[in-house]
Amino acid sequence: MLIRKEQPSDYKQTEDVIQQAFQNVAYSNGKEHELVRALRTSNEFVPELSLVSKQGKTITGHILFTTVEIKNAGNSLIGLSLAPLSVLPEYQNQGIGTALITFGLTTAARLGFSVVVVLGHKEYYPKFGFVKASTYNIKPPFAVEDDLYMVKELQAGALHTAQGTVHYSPVFML
């Protein structure tokens, strides 16, 4: 398996992967591929953090991290949101998602980002070091079960100053 930065020539195949990955997911609106397409043209897009996994010529998975702002009345911090993570159904449960997350988090830290938030499975993301965001007084801008909204520190001490509400790209709200 190869993991690399997504290229514009990958966009169609990547969007197909995303659409297939969320096709039978209960909480999906079926538009995650459209969200990724819109995020690629947003100010919050970080090209180095749109990653694909490949086996041969087939894109088997994709992960996207976009910038968010965590702010309160006193301060502000630019962090990242991990969304979405997609793996073709026939390639799931083979470690591709784990590899994409690990590679993405390492790349994000290398690029200087200090915090990542995720809305996701409470049994899956903690194995990567994610904890409940509420532990650090970090709140989503929407109602969500507390156990599902998580944060991970990429730079030591970052979570001691990153308190407040997470502000996403307006694209997420479309």
Side-chain angles (χ1 to χ4, degrees):
M1 171 181 33
L2 167 74
I3 297 178
R4 64 164 171 77
K5 177 181 159 187
E6 181 189 38
Q7 302 297 316
S9 59
D10 299 326
Y11 288 176
K12 172 70 173 102
Q13 192 176 1
T14 299
E15 290 174 22
D16 289 344
V17 167
I18 297 165
Q19 194 168 19
Q20 289 179 54
F22 284 93
Q23 180 173 335
N24 296 314
V25 177
Y27 57 82
S28 170
N29 67 3
K31 296 183 179 185
E32 289 82 3
H33 64 292
E34 294 174 13
L35 172 64
V36 169
R37 185 182 312 138
L39 284 168
R40 286 189 196 111
T41 64
S42 74
N43 292 332
E44 294 77 17
F45 182 64
V46 182
E48 296 82 8
L49 293 173
S50 183
L51 305 168
V52 295
S53 60
K54 289 191 80 175
Q55 291 188 6
K57 293 184 179 188
T58 303
I59 293 176
T60 57
H62 174 260
I63 193 169
L64 180 64
F65 296 83
T66 52
T67 60
V68 293
E69 184 177 14
I70 304 169
K71 62 182 178 177
N72 61 32
N75 63 12
S76 172
L77 172 76
I78 299 298
L80 294 170
S81 170
L82 185 170
L85 168 64
S86 311
V87 177
L88 282 173
E90 62 268 29
Y91 288 91
Q92 291 176 5
N93 301 309
Q94 297 179 24
I96 293 170
T98 294
L100 283 165
I101 292 170
T102 302
F103 190 92
L105 292 172
T106 301
T107 303
R110 184 178 45 78
L111 291 172
F113 290 99
S114 59
V115 174
V116 179
V117 295
V118 67
L119 171 61
H121 295 285
K122 60 186 172 186
E123 294 87 25
Y124 185 68
Y125 288 98
K127 70 182 180 181
F128 302 101
F130 284 89
V131 298
K132 287 193 312 187
S134 63
T135 304
Y136 292 94
N137 198 26
I138 295 173
K139 302 176 211 75
F142 41 76
V144 64
E145 189 178 318
D146 191 47
D147 288 349
L148 302 179
Y149 200 70
M150 294 166 269
V151 65
K152 176 175 173 57
E153 183 175 71
L154 298 178
Q155 307 292 335
L159 286 174
H160 297 294
T161 59
Q163 297 181 1
T165 302
V166 178
H167 296 265
Y168 288 83
S169 169
V171 173
F172 275 98
M173 307 311 164
L174 297 177

